[in-house]
Amino acid sequence: MFARLASRRWAGPGLAAISGVVLVTTGSMAWMWALGVLLTLAAIAWGGWDVWRAARHGDEMREFAATHGWEYLPRTYEYNSRFWAYPFSEGEARRQESVLRGTYDGQKCATFSHVFETRSDKDSAPVTHAFQVTLAELPVALPRIDIVPQNAYQQVLKALGGKDVEVESHAFNERWRVRATDARYAHAVLDPRMVERLTWLDVEGASIRIEGAAVYVWGSGRRGTEDLAKRLGIVTAIARRVPAHVIREYRELGYGTAEPGAPLKGPDWATQGGVLNSRRYTGIGVEDTDPPRRQPLPGADA
């Protein structure tokens, strides 16, 4: 496994190293020879550092899980199907590495490195990218809202899509840019309690998103556990401030999330063991128990 990891992470630097070697062997001038040597050494150093950093990050997460009773997964792909916005929409070979899952302040949370690869063309070596994501689970799946710092790069804003939404708080508008496809829905979520929380100092510079059944902060690079409590504090606080009427509206529309393995609801004759149902409830004879067939989220991207 480590060999495969190393081979992927060395692919980009390895190409630079080869270029350096070519310059060394073909360059006829001293400066080209020197440049080739520097490129080769820099590529080798960068590749070694990247491999070491990823391995050390995994060790740190594994140690945290063992100490605090959280779940640790070295790799998973399950979040690929939950989130679709940048950076989850980018590249190939998408996966989540060094996954931590547990409970913080009474809420289910997780943090992981979302990793993907890009190529400049089909014949080029892949380049690996990592983004750290820290989330708190929500009881319903909600349309996406992005809350990013005012100084966010234009290319990031373009990747996010949607349109700008402003609220009535001048202090909030000076700090944040809100991107959503449905302004009515965005204003419903950004009520006075939510806006007030987003002016606290601990959220300064964070990129925050509500998407699907989660609130999460995300940013480029791998991040360890040194500021994990701060990130968890942000996402759990925002999750608690999603207005109750918004949660209720989307639950009634059928976007509530079920606990894995939760018992099925229904009348006693349907949920208890018997000849006809073989101890498996089919939903026959129950009204308004199961959510309606899901349609695209109102306010979600087309």
Side-chain angles (χ1 to χ4, degrees):
M1 178 178 178
F2 183 82
R4 292 197 301 271
L5 175 67
S7 65
R8 281 180 172 171
R9 296 185 185 282
W10 278 88
L15 186 61
I18 292 171
S19 300
V21 171
V22 169
L23 280 174
V24 170
T25 57
T26 62
S28 58
M29 299 176 64
W31 69 269
M32 293 184 67
W33 186 90
L35 179 60
V37 171
L38 288 175
L39 280 173
T40 302
L41 294 176
I44 293 173
W46 187 92
W49 165 254
D50 193 47
V51 171
W52 178 87
R53 181 177 53 182
R56 180 66 187 90
H57 185 260
D59 291 341
E60 180 181 354
M61 295 301 195
R62 186 183 296 105
E63 182 180 346
F64 180 94
T67 302
H68 295 87
W70 279 36
E71 177 188 15
Y72 171 78
L73 295 173
R75 177 177 294 193
T76 185
Y77 302 91
E78 65 183 83
Y79 294 96
N80 290 349
S81 60
R82 288 191 57 182
F83 306 127
W84 303 275
Y86 177 88
F88 289 93
S89 58
E90 300 299 300
E92 58 188 29
R94 302 167 189 159
R95 70 262 187 194
Q96 295 76 49
E97 297 178 352
S98 300
V99 183
L100 277 178
R101 292 194 289 219
T103 300
Y104 182 88
D105 199 16
Q107 295 177 260
K108 291 187 176 181
C109 299
T111 188
F112 52 81
S113 297
H114 176 70
V115 181
F116 61 90
E117 297 170 1
T118 59
R119 299 171 186 265
S120 57
D121 58 66
K122 64 179 182 180
D123 297 321
S124 64
V127 178
T128 302
H129 309 264
F131 286 75
Q132 193 68 31
V133 177
T134 303
L135 66 83
E137 301 284 359
L138 290 172
V140 294
L142 295 176
R144 178 162 61 91
I145 298 178
D146 275 291
I147 306 167
V148 297
Q150 272 288 358
N151 60 358
Y153 293 113
Q154 286 300 316
Q155 54 265 40
V156 172
L157 294 174
K158 183 178 180 181
L160 297 180
K163 54 189 175 183
D164 284 323
V165 178
E166 291 194 343
V167 302
E168 296 182 357
S169 168
H170 178 69
F172 179 92
N173 292 332
E174 279 194 327
R175 178 181 290 189
W176 299 108
R177 294 189 71 165
V178 178
R179 306 285 284 193
T181 57
D182 185 341
R184 182 203 65 82
Y185 162 73
H187 283 119
V189 172
L190 295 170
D191 70 352
R193 290 182 68 248
M194 181 72 81
V195 167
E196 187 269 338
R197 181 62 182 85
L198 289 168
T199 60
W200 289 21
L201 290 177
D202 64 332
V203 296
E204 188 78 37
S207 293
I208 303 165
R209 178 177 295 152
I210 297 174
E211 182 187 16
V215 174
Y216 60 90
V217 293
W218 58 277
S220 61
R222 300 174 186 270
R223 297 178 67 171
T225 58
E226 68 282 349
D227 65 343
L228 178 58
K230 176 183 176 181
R231 284 179 276 137
L232 291 171
I234 292 171
V235 293
T236 54
I238 294 172
R240 283 195 301 270
R241 283 169 173 75
V242 176
H245 69 90
V246 174
I247 299 291
R248 183 169 58 252
E249 175 185 352
Y250 283 88
R251 180 177 282 125
E252 289 173 354
L253 287 171
Y255 293 95
T257 57
E259 287 287 333
L264 290 164
K265 297 180 180 179
D268 290 343
W269 65 264
T271 56
Q272 292 177 356
V275 175
L276 293 178
N277 57 42
S278 300
R279 298 184 182 274
R280 295 181 63 84
Y281 173 45
T282 63
I284 297 175
V286 177
E287 296 179 359
D288 301 326
T289 297
D290 296 324
R293 183 178 181 84
R294 292 191 175 187
Q295 301 297 322
L297 279 168
D301 298 340

